[in-house]
Amino acid sequence: MNVTVFGTGYVGLVQAAVLAEAGHRVTCVDIDENKIERLKQGHIPIFEPGLEPIVKRNNESGNLNFTTDAAAGVAHGDLIFIAVGTPPDEDGSADLRYVLAVARTIAEHMSGKKYIINKSTVPVGTADKVREQVTRTLQERNALNLEFDVISNPEFLKEGSAVADCMKPDRIIIGTSEHASEQKMRQLYAPFNRNHDKVIVMDVRSAELAKYAANCMLATKISFMNEMAVIADKVGADIEAVRQGIGSDPRIGYHFIYPGIGYGGSCFPKDVQALKTTATQLGLEPKVLNAVEERNQRQKHYLLEKIVQRYGKDLSGMTFALWGLSFKPNTDDMREAPSRVLMENLWDMGAKVRAFDPEAMHECERIYGNRDDLQLCGTRDSALSGADALIIATEWQQFKSLDHNTVRDSLKTPVVFDGRNLYDPLDMAEAGFEYFCVGRPQAKASLPPATQPSSI
């Protein structure tokens, strides 16, 4: 099938590449000329495991093309995806200007029937706005005889595993009331629907809400578990034992119940805000969503509070090693990352930071530039050199195994603040560390056994 994708951001590029890999002929359209040229040369603007070889392979085969020519893109695609950004507006609502701009562009250039597929995360009712924009533009052209349909097809990709999520989706939601549109979408996704039927068809508004509801539910699980960790801290319970105890209940499960220092990224914070705004505009009070967001904001200060308890509010002259900058492992995305809250507060208190992340170093440099109080280090071990303590903000795989001797010898004092509960408190205590983590009691090293008098 001939497919066009407007937008070569995270969602658009991954979706386009995977559709091309399945044999569809895909054209990506973007207004950023430099980005398009770099994509043509095989340079991927984001870090996502497995994406680069798929893009290169399909670009070379001709299945995946990149252009800034919107008219050519509209002419190519029978199915046209809108996958542009919907950044939060000042009031927290999703900014639809880019979505509606693409809708207008499609209407300006279409000459036959088009299936317009909204892949961007958008508030309920956006498909109606897209339809109105297309109709208005066609009317300006005196071309109301041209047929089109607007379909909602929300994405459910996780950064760090987006290619796998796209290749083997657990569900494919299609929002449409038109039989022809449903059949087109089933045909498009047939290569990903062979094992069992993953397609769920519903009305457009339900599909739009399903995306927000999914992300807000996951955010709620995270914030709930983080609140339990705070309670565990106060009552002397171990949140890891609690997690195992509740996770074994199949009604709850183990997914998304790991305590930490808050969620970040491009989806959860934005989508919780957007759904809150939608509810408020409807005259509703989104009490649960308000609580989810409040807990998440407070959780990003969790380690900082432990640092202040340990050292006081004046951190002048101190240096902290920071492992992890991205909001989660297997991505270079630092949007709403807890590491940013940590660093900015440490700087405000007079401290310096020596940071390392396997992928987000360039992104950190782009955000903060050159600073006297930030040094980006080439390895995790080099970040430790001369630091007063170690802070862990992201659960990268390479951080999960700790060389006690190296860390202890490199730090001025053997103190670790772990925002992801990577290590066992007793093991850390036995190795001579002061170990502060999330919702787990601070362990003390066991005393050596008393010497028994030798028998004669």
Side-chain angles (χ1 to χ4, degrees):
M1 301 178 78
N2 290 339
V3 179
T4 294
V5 178
F6 275 85
T8 56
Y10 192 87
V11 172
L13 185 58
V14 172
Q15 184 67 76
V18 169
L19 287 173
E21 181 79 353
H24 297 297
R25 296 171 294 279
V26 183
T27 293
C28 290
V29 182
D30 202 292
I31 60 174
D32 188 332
E33 293 183 6
N34 181 59
K35 189 177 187 181
I36 289 297
E37 284 305 313
R38 288 179 61 80
L39 283 167
K40 287 179 179 179
Q41 297 166 16
H43 299 296
I44 309 301
I46 58 174
F47 174 75
E48 179 59 41
L51 180 60
E52 186 172 339
I54 296 177
V55 171
K56 286 183 176 180
R57 181 165 59 247
N58 285 280
N59 186 224
E60 290 170 358
S61 72
N63 266 6
L64 181 61
N65 296 292
F66 302 97
T67 184
T68 57
D69 188 341
V74 174
H76 168 80
D78 299 316
L79 297 94
I80 303 178
F81 281 89
I82 300 177
V84 294
T86 54
D89 217 332
E90 291 182 3
D91 62 356
S93 61
D95 186 344
L96 298 178
R97 75 180 79 174
Y98 306 114
V99 170
L100 297 178
V102 173
R104 181 174 181 83
T105 297
I106 294 169
E108 286 173 343
H109 298 293
M110 61 187 283
S111 58
K113 183 169 184 178
K114 300 295 179 182
Y115 297 89
I116 302 171
I117 305 158
N118 205 341
K119 200 72 178 176
S120 301
T121 300
V122 293
V124 176
T126 299
D128 294 336
K129 294 180 179 179
V130 170
R131 187 180 300 278
E132 290 166 5
Q133 179 67 75
V134 173
T135 300
R136 188 161 54 247
T137 306
L138 290 177
Q139 190 172 24
E140 293 169 3
R141 291 179 53 199
N142 294 317
L144 285 173
N145 60 310
L146 294 177
E147 295 182 74
F148 71 94
D149 190 25
V150 180
I151 303 162
S152 176
N153 177 219
E155 55 83 15
F156 297 97
L157 308 181
K158 301 184 293 293
E159 290 191 45
S161 61
V163 172
D165 291 342
C166 229
M167 289 283 196
K168 297 180 179 180
D170 48 21
R171 78 277 207 199
I172 302 167
I173 291 182
I174 298 170
T176 182
S177 300
E178 299 292 330
H179 179 71
S181 296
E182 178 185 336
Q183 293 307 111
K184 278 284 185 181
M185 295 298 287
R186 285 187 177 276
Q187 185 181 351
L188 176 72
Y189 283 118
F192 313 99
N193 199 39
R194 293 173 64 87
N195 183 267
H196 63 276
D197 191 5
K198 303 170 185 176
V199 173
I200 304 171
V201 181
M202 60 187 70
D203 64 276
V204 171
R205 286 185 168 237
S206 295
E208 290 172 332
L209 182 56
K211 169 60 179 179
Y212 277 110
N215 278 358
C216 290
M217 171 61 82
L218 296 175
T220 299
K221 291 185 74 173
I222 294 169
S223 282
F224 174 83
M225 206 60 192
N226 284 336
E227 187 143 299
M228 292 303 103
V230 173
I231 294 173
D233 250 352
K234 297 297 184 183
V235 302
D238 186 339
I239 194 63
E240 284 298 305
V242 174
R243 180 184 66 79
Q244 294 177 31
I246 67 173
S248 60
D249 185 331
R251 297 170 300 175
I252 297 172
Y254 290 103
H255 295 296
F256 283 84
I257 62 168
Y258 285 87
I261 50 175
Y263 58 76
S266 62
C267 295
F268 288 2
K270 174 176 68 69
D271 293 352
V272 170
Q273 283 187 9
L275 192 54
K276 276 178 53 184
T277 302
T278 296
T280 302
Q281 290 170 346
L282 294 169
L284 304 172
E285 185 181 357
K287 293 183 178 181
V288 173
L289 296 179
N290 284 335
V292 168
E293 187 175 54
E294 181 184 353
R295 167 46 58 198
N296 192 58
Q297 293 304 319
R298 294 187 65 179
Q299 200 70 15
K300 290 181 180 181
H301 292 82
Y302 182 93
L303 280 190
L304 189 73
E305 292 171 3
K306 290 185 177 291
I307 292 169
V308 169
Q309 288 171 6
R310 174 63 174 77
Y311 297 110
K313 291 184 179 180
D314 184 1
L315 303 178
S316 301
M318 295 194 69
T319 299
F320 291 88
L322 177 63
W323 284 0
L325 293 166
S326 58
F327 84 95
K328 63 179 288 188
N330 296 321
T331 180
D332 59 356
D333 194 343
M334 287 183 64
R335 284 174 288 185
E336 303 282 344
S339 65
R340 297 179 64 171
V341 174
L342 273 166
M343 285 194 294
E344 290 165 14
N345 278 279
L346 289 171
W347 293 332
D348 288 343
M349 293 178 181
K352 294 182 179 181
V353 175
R354 294 174 57 84
F356 169 74
D357 187 282
E359 292 296 336
M361 305 288 272
H362 291 300
E363 179 65 4
C364 186
E365 188 174 28
R366 184 191 69 79
I367 294 170
Y368 293 111
N370 293 320
R371 301 178 55 112
D372 292 338
D373 49 12
L374 172 63
Q375 184 170 355
L376 298 176
C377 304
T379 66
R380 67 173 196 171
D381 290 345
S382 63
L384 300 170
S385 180
D388 292 279
L390 167 64
I391 302 171
I392 300 169
T394 314
E395 63 274 32
W396 283 93
Q397 190 69 28
Q398 63 178 270
F399 299 160
K400 293 181 179 179
S401 178
L402 195 70
D403 185 330
H404 293 147
N405 292 332
T406 298
V407 175
R408 190 175 50 244
D409 293 345
S410 299
L411 295 174
K412 290 180 182 178
T413 52
V415 182
V416 176
F417 297 91
D418 180 2
R420 301 299 176 182
N421 287 358
L422 298 187
Y423 314 121
D424 180 79
L426 182 58
D427 287 346
M428 293 296 285
E430 296 282 6
F433 287 93
E434 281 185 76
Y435 180 62
F436 303 89
C437 50
V438 182
R440 307 195 73 182
Q442 202 173 353
K444 294 183 179 180
S446 58
L447 296 174
T451 302
Q452 299 294 323
S454 57
S455 57
I456 300 175

